Amino acid sequence: MTLPVFVDVDTGVDDAMALVYLFGSDDAEVVGIASTAGNVPVQQVCRNNLGLLELCGMDIPVSKGSEQPVKAPLRTAEDTHGPEGIGYARLPPTNRQLTAYDAAEAWVLAAQAYPGELIGVATGPLTNLALALRKEPTLPTLLRRLVIMGGSFDYRGNTTPVAEWNISVDPEAAAEVFAAWGAAWGSQEPTHLPIVLGLNLTENIAMTPALLNRLATAAESSSIPMSVLDDRGTRSVASNPLIAVLEDAMRFYFEFHFDQDEGYLAHLHDPLAAAVALDPDLVTCRPTTIDVELTGTLTRGMTIADWSNRWGREPNALIGVGVDPKVFFDRFIARVGAFARRLG
Ligand code: BDR
Ligand code: CA
């Protein structure tokens, strides 16, 4: 049985890895892709999503989202993801077109097409999901499951000292989403609350040159292992076209993390969310109430978890608190490796 999955991304090196994981998962059928402004402007996110589909030979509707967050001005992160959002990679040209309807409408149409079955995954700012909720307030009860990569719980931020990128770009949208799911499900069993994976969890998922080389081997691709000593921007010589794109994308991400004093590695935030969307047992979670700081002069975009229920509010999220990176990477390499091998 395949699980219908709708993905909302701001592609993005790790968003691209998340999409490829889903394409390579036989237990998932990606029924739509929403493009959200974030890592790069939304037009570039659309180009990246369409180019990735061309590379992977997949036919999935891609919709363009809002050009701006619901309230704040847009910020982008080319320093982290490269000038086009996919590091040093070049995606093939494509004649594929966007849907006539926008990304918010796409969320609603997908949820209505698979009532009670659809799994939503959001790995970018929550702009489109908030706009979708305004169109269709019953969205939280239409979805089977929602997994969000966003926030940072009892842990530092990666955008400000306390705020994580996806929430920081559109804090108002995130607050709307958490409030809506809390209102719909907060008084019931926590199974339907969104699974929220913050930096406290996703920074355990560190891709390294050795793991990337294992991926190339699984794909039966030739490849030269990357090294911190390589010239910056060295292009991949992998024989497999998908592995070559992923290596070129990851090298930029490795260099960014290295410059942040995190080592020659890269955190795969979004692929963890994709994997958890298909198998929530990959993480342990705690139900709690979370909210987003909207007004703090130093803390805007911070996600606060009320572990001790001092607010006295119903829970609105299942926060990821535990993960085994080995289990994740074994599965990631098996799935993406086999998918790349089929393409090669
Ligand atoms: C998140 O921010 C983005 O840059 C990544 O794609 C990921 O979704 C991590 O904070
Ligand atoms: Ca992302």
Side-chain angles (χ1 to χ4, degrees), residues 149-187:
M149 190 284 127
S152 190
F153 301 97
D154 299 344
Y155 193 78
R156 61 170 173 71
N158 63 358
T159 304
T160 75
V162 294
E164 180 276 335
W165 174 258
N166 289 336
I167 305 296
S168 188
V169 169
D170 198 340
E172 281 77 13
E176 278 185 49
V177 168
F178 294 134
W181 255 264
W185 291 109
S187 57

Side-chain angles (χ1 to χ4, degrees), residues 10 14-15 39 123-124 166 270:
D10 63 335
D14 58 331
D15 303 79
N39 290 321
T123 65
N166 289 336
D270 297 348

